[in-house]
Amino acid sequence: MNAPHAAAPVRPHLARRLGAELLGTALLLTVVVGSGIAASTLSPDDVGLQLLENSTATALGLAVLILMFGPVSGAHFNPVVTLADAALGARRGTGLPLRDVLPYLAAQVAGAIAGTVLANVMFEVPTQIATTERATGGRLIGEIVATAGLVFLIVALARSGRGAVTAAAVGAYIGAAYWFTSSTSFANPAVTIGRMFSDTFAGITPGSAPLFILMQMIGGAIGLAVVVLLYPDASRRARDIVVPTSVNATL
């Protein structure tokens, strides 16, 4: 007699996952933009200290948000991560279903804009289009490096079953990448779009955003290619990016 097959993992309902992605991405942008505004207010004459304050808040905030929302949606908060998840598991059916990709992206972008507006409101600054130009050659290369490293990190952690340290590792990586990349590591198209709506320390002009997003997509593809090269069986764990969302069917 053949052994019974194990029950297929069940994800939370799509509406719940989209709600988690929207709220999580919104809070991420509130952390990024809000801490940037606070930093420029508290340390107006020291850009290095501003960056330290902004990066520390972002690293800690991101780690906490992954812990909060990861069990529901996977805590992607990032279109590049969502696309990497779907692409990596497409052949085996282990990644995010393709039908869920566009809703995830829409929730992330909407959340990013909402979170930026919330930060502006809290600090009583106007919500207006940013004027900070960032699309220089070196910064664009920086976005490729930052995003490639992020994708490689999260897939490597998933593939090796180290999901317990994902929140801390991703937060630490983004905090470090603020400093070791020339772009201060946006590494996220939704974050890039959201930051267009705050003309503050964290802002980016709409003229710079498309190139940043293009470099992020290229970086994501490079990171995924390196993963496939070094971990050819990584697709088996695609559903564990960033945080596993499999739950009992009763949830």
Side-chain angles (χ1 to χ4, degrees):
M1 181 181 295
N2 293 331
H5 293 290
V10 178
R11 297 178 186 268
H13 190 278
L14 178 60
R16 291 176 59 197
R17 289 185 279 129
L18 295 181
E21 284 296 297
L22 189 150
L23 184 55
T25 310
L27 291 175
L28 174 59
L29 267 293
T30 302
V31 171
V32 172
V33 176
S35 63
I37 297 171
S40 61
T41 301
L42 295 170
S43 311
D45 300 318
D46 191 333
V47 177
L49 185 55
Q50 292 174 16
L51 187 61
L52 177 61
E53 293 160 347
N54 190 205
S55 62
T56 301
T58 300
L60 295 175
L62 177 56
V64 169
L65 291 171
I66 291 172
L67 291 173
M68 290 170 63
F69 295 103
V72 180
S73 69
H76 293 183
F77 310 150
N78 186 335
V80 171
V81 173
T82 295
L83 291 170
D85 184 340
L88 187 64
R91 293 183 62 184
R92 290 179 176 267
T94 55
L96 186 73
L98 293 179
R99 65 180 179 275
D100 294 351
V101 170
L102 285 180
Y104 260 59
L105 302 189
Q108 291 158 359
V109 172
I113 295 171
T116 300
V117 172
L118 176 59
N120 292 337
V121 170
M122 285 197 300
F123 286 92
E124 300 181 336
V125 301
T127 295
Q128 56 190 26
I129 299 300
T131 58
T132 304
E133 295 282 352
R134 296 182 183 268
T136 64
R139 288 171 179 169
L140 294 176
I141 296 298
E143 279 301 285
I144 294 176
V145 172
T147 312
L150 176 63
V151 169
F152 180 79
L153 170 65
I154 62 173
V155 178
L157 289 173
R159 183 268 178 195
S160 56
R162 291 176 290 171
V165 302
T166 297
V170 172
Y173 175 82
I174 291 297
Y178 260 79
W179 292 90
F180 74 74
T181 65
S182 55
S183 64
T184 67
S185 183
F186 285 46
N188 184 330
V191 166
T192 303
I193 292 171
R195 288 169 69 164
M196 292 192 301
F197 293 88
S198 188
D199 193 17
T200 61
F201 178 78
I204 178 172
T205 179
S208 296
L211 284 174
F212 259 54
I213 292 171
L214 176 60
M215 295 305 107
Q216 290 155 5
M217 299 301 291
I218 292 173
I222 292 173
L224 200 56
V226 174
V227 164
V228 171
L229 177 65
L230 298 182
Y231 298 112
D233 61 342
S235 61
R236 297 178 181 176
R237 301 297 295 269
R239 88 170 24 95
D240 295 339
I241 300 172
V242 173
V243 176
T245 58
S246 301
V247 297
N248 294 329
T250 57
L251 291 183

